[in-house]
Amino acid sequence: MPLPLGGNAVRKALGPDLGRLISKTIRDSVSYGLDHREDALEIRMQFARDMETELADQFVGMYVNKWTLGLR
């Protein structure tokens, strides 16, 4: 099974409704990035420290992929 690199948490005191909204917003953001991968990668390349685009795409793909959307 894949091992997540990290996770997000929501303070319990914010309540379940806000927690669900935050979770949905993060999931929607990741989904948008996956659906618009080329544009997202182009923006991130400014932080890639002379990394080739193909290698950066492989690196991002290890951590942001279909499995990312399933984490809850």
Side-chain angles (χ1 to χ4, degrees):
M1 295 300 295
L3 180 64
L5 180 65
N8 296 300
V10 177
R11 183 182 297 255
K12 191 175 183 178
L14 295 176
D17 292 338
L18 185 54
R20 281 189 288 276
L21 177 61
I22 292 168
S23 178
K24 181 183 181 319
T25 301
I26 292 170
R27 192 169 39 257
D28 289 350
S29 176
V30 171
S31 181
Y32 184 89
L34 289 171
D35 290 344
H36 300 89
R37 185 180 180 108
E38 198 171 296
D39 294 333
L41 187 60
E42 183 179 328
I43 292 168
R44 299 304 176 253
M45 286 305 296
Q46 63 185 314
F47 305 105
R49 299 183 186 170
D50 300 321
M51 185 182 292
E52 296 293 325
T53 303
E54 184 178 324
L55 182 59
D57 186 47
Q58 291 175 359
F59 182 79
V60 170
M62 290 189 314
Y63 300 105
V64 183
N65 52 53
K66 67 179 183 176
W67 299 105
T68 308
L69 294 174
L71 296 175
R72 293 179 187 216

